[in-house]
Amino acid sequence: MNQPNEPWWHGTSIYQVYPRSFADSDGDGIGDLRGIIDRLDHIAALGVQTLWVSPFFPSPQEDFGYDITDYTGVGQEYGTLSDAEELIRAAHSRGMRVMFDLVLNHTSDQHPWFLRSKGSRDNPKSDWYIWADGCGRDGRRPPNNWRSALEVNSAWQWCPERGQFYMATFLPFQPDLNYRNPEVKDAMFDVVRFWLDRGVDGFRLDIFGQIMKDPQFRDNPLSPHVVNGFPQGWRRQYTENTADNIDFARELHDVCAEYGDRILLGEVFGPPEVLRAYHADGAGLDLVFLFDFLRYRYDANWFTETIRRFEQAFPSPMQPTYVLENHDRSRTIDRVGGDPAKAAVLAVILLSVRGVPTIYMGQEIGMSNTYIPLDDALDPVASRFFRRLPEFVNRRLRERLNRDEVRTPMQWDGGPNAGFCPPGVRPWLPVNPDHVTVNVADETADPDSLLALYRTLSRVRRASAALHRGTLDLIPGLPEGVLGYRRTDAASGEQCATFANLGRREQEVRPISSTLLTGCGGATLDGELIRLPPDSAIIVRRTSSQRSAAGH
Ligand code: GLC
């Protein structure tokens, strides 16, 4: 339980459902809202407190829902508006909160607003998107050097009807809305209210950092560097995390505040020291994803330094938001050679560190990437930009260029189609052949499974004030390869500690007298001694009431 004045989302845990791949209730090979409702008990049993549902709105599905044509409808393949309302109610009745995905930055190029806007330079919607004249004698060169978020192409797309360029930060069929036009803001804030009126508890904000661009369209400065593991040519000084964008976060916060304690979680990119600005002293975004864990190194020093950095940038009452995988990036387990023992250690860290952990559907059972050649990609990023890349290069990359590989159907059981859709139906993406052993049904029956560990971790976390709302102190001086931190709840005096051995040798730690809460990989607590084989982790609670700054 949180303290009386503490917002509900402090220390909550989030489960991401990608609806197209979660559960197909009507046998068309595509997941849907009823499918989610039918499977809510799995999410509730996992013990997560907040459900985030990726887009299910009407869309031509060129970017599988992140290209929207109607923000207050439900795509017919996903169900109806009353299904969406029922999903909210059904989650609430199980004590869970619900976040929907809000794609503010862009619409589909098939959205009626864009179809109108591109028709002429003087129609009622002509200024709803970001339009600019081109350069050069024929005006066919892009207006400036702004690159798309993928960095491989210009952010500007030529529109013959208007003889102008429109801006598309992500893919060419996703034109950016112009939030300097107050009508656009009003229209989208009404969308926000529409879903808040129906009871959603907040939103995950799609590529939120790039909404407000420089009104003077100044060139971004050339500066080769790496962000989140991706090489960048230009610093996005005028297109990302601008001061106007932080102001926009404040305005959005005010809209949500009309409804009480609702939550905004931003997909924003940049160093934590920059991203903290979105918090705006509690008047902006409540949470921002910190994506560094997506490209973790399985190394105690790496985790120690990353957690230290997040703690410094997001001190209480701010909450770091941790994420190991999502619908865009590689599955966690593939980054550690498919080793379930290592995936278990990562789960212990994710669910015992201070802040908000996010779990992507299937992560809890150890789903892995499903290799799908670039040639077969449905994902527009892969099919438009990377189809020519030789497969032997693609297979060796640490990151997946074809996002289909991380979006294959949820593995419910070891039977045909993994229980995602009826036998004989072709799912929209292939089911991973490993579903015969990696699936919810088998792991539910196995007390030593990764799923069992995730469930235990969630339960332990919820029951412990120190774990879900306590402060965090990294424990210095631990043996090589061991990560350790202490969590303390000042109000109750409860103190817990996590130790994880990411090294190659067995190690020992002597905590002050403690009891075992949970662990993995054969870690044991015997009297005053913790034994940590390689790839093991443990969470203990201190039994003595006396605290010592030095003890661990
Ligand atoms: C975000 C989404 C991604 C989508 C893109 C464009 O990064 O996570 O799936 O393709 O935005 O909306």
Side-chain angles (χ1 to χ4, degrees), residues 3 465 469 488-494 547:
Q3 300 286 70
R469 66 158 183 258
T488 310
D489 175 51
S492 61
E494 187 195 4
R547 288 187 216 138

Side-chain angles (χ1 to χ4, degrees), residues 433-477:
D434 75 4
H435 75 275
V436 290
T437 50
V438 178
N439 64 66
V440 173
D442 287 1
E443 293 193 31
T444 300
D446 175 3
D448 295 325
S449 65
L450 188 60
L451 177 59
L453 176 68
Y454 264 96
R455 286 181 177 170
T456 305
L457 285 167
S458 288
R459 189 168 33 76
V460 164
R461 177 188 165 86
R462 285 177 81 150
S464 156
L467 286 177
H468 73 250
R469 66 158 183 258
T471 54
L472 182 145
D473 296 287
L474 287 158
I475 300 175

Side-chain angles (χ1 to χ4, degrees), residues 293 296-308 324 346 349 474 483 502:
F293 264 37
Y296 68 84
R297 275 211 332 264
Y298 191 80
D299 173 289
N301 290 333
W302 187 90
F303 278 101
T304 303
E305 287 319 309
T306 305
I307 293 170
R308 187 193 313 284
L324 277 171
L346 295 165
I349 298 171
L474 287 158
L483 162 74
L502 296 91

Side-chain angles (χ1 to χ4, degrees), residues 44 64 68 79 134 192 265 269 368 412 436 446 451 512 538:
F64 299 107
I68 297 171
V192 171
L265 163 56
F269 298 93
S368 55
W412 296 104
V436 290
D446 175 3
L451 177 59
I512 291 173
I538 197 165

Side-chain angles (χ1 to χ4, degrees), residues 86-312:
E86 191 181 328
L87 173 60
I88 297 169
R89 272 197 306 274
H92 284 170
S93 74
R94 287 168 176 80
M96 277 186 278
R97 306 279 185 154
V98 182
M99 282 190 317
F100 283 173
D101 215 307
L102 190 61
V103 186
L104 291 170
N105 180 70
H106 51 262
T107 68
S108 156
D109 63 358
Q110 302 304 307
H111 195 296
W113 297 342
F114 188 72
L115 295 177
R116 193 78 205 274
S117 189
K118 76 174 196 180
S120 70
R121 296 189 186 199
D122 56 0
N123 66 71
K125 296 276 185 287
S126 57
D127 195 26
W128 276 47
Y129 292 81
I130 301 178
W131 292 98
D133 292 331
C135 300
R137 222 182 285 147
D138 58 0
R140 294 294 293 269
R141 276 200 295 124
N144 63 20
N145 72 356
W146 294 353
R147 311 292 290 171
S148 80
L150 299 166
E151 287 281 321
V152 286
N153 61 327
S154 165
W156 295 99
Q157 301 298 324
W158 177 249
C159 171
E161 289 97 323
R162 276 179 64 142
Q164 274 187 312
F165 285 87
Y166 65 87
M167 189 168 178
T169 292
F170 204 71
L171 290 164
F173 55 79
Q174 291 163 317
D176 288 11
L177 284 162
N178 172 20
Y179 284 89
R180 300 199 184 272
N181 180 341
E183 290 176 21
V184 173
K185 256 189 207 167
D186 288 348
M188 292 308 272
F189 288 169
D190 281 347
V191 167
V192 171
R193 292 189 185 96
F194 176 90
W195 289 113
L196 291 174
D197 281 334
R198 274 154 191 81
V200 294
D201 300 283
F203 301 94
R204 175 264 186 187
L205 305 167
D206 191 64
I207 54 170
F208 188 78
Q210 278 134 294
I211 290 180
M212 301 302 279
K213 296 91 174 163
D214 179 38
Q216 296 172 46
F217 294 163
R218 279 172 282 187
D219 274 346
N220 275 329
L222 188 66
S223 138
H225 64 294
V226 173
V227 172
N228 292 330
F230 288 104
Q232 320 276 314
W234 289 264
R235 196 151 50 81
R236 298 184 186 155
Q237 179 176 345
Y238 295 117
T239 47
E240 189 166 31
N241 303 330
T242 60
D244 289 350
N245 215 61
I246 311 288
D247 291 342
F248 185 63
R250 285 199 185 88
E251 286 181 68
L252 198 55
H253 173 97
D254 290 346
V255 176
C256 285
E258 294 166 16
Y259 290 79
D261 199 7
R262 308 292 171 105
I263 182 184
L264 293 170
L265 163 56
E267 185 199 28
V268 286
F269 298 93
E273 301 74 26
V274 170
L275 299 186
R276 62 178 281 153
Y278 282 102
H279 187 252
D281 292 325
L285 305 188
D286 304 295
L287 300 169
V288 296
F289 283 121
L290 299 171
F291 287 120
D292 298 45
F293 264 37
L294 287 174
R295 54 185 182 87
Y296 68 84
R297 275 211 332 264
Y298 191 80
D299 173 289
N301 290 333
W302 187 90
F303 278 101
T304 303
E305 287 319 309
T306 305
I307 293 170
R308 187 193 313 284
R309 194 166 171 214
F310 289 174
E311 281 293 311
Q312 275 161 6

Side-chain angles (χ1 to χ4, degrees), residues 495-514:
Q495 193 168 84
C496 296
T498 297
F499 299 96
N501 184 1
L502 296 91
R504 296 204 179 152
R505 280 208 302 273
E506 173 159 324
Q507 300 290 10
E508 294 180 352
V509 180
R510 288 180 189 278
I512 291 173
S513 86
S514 305

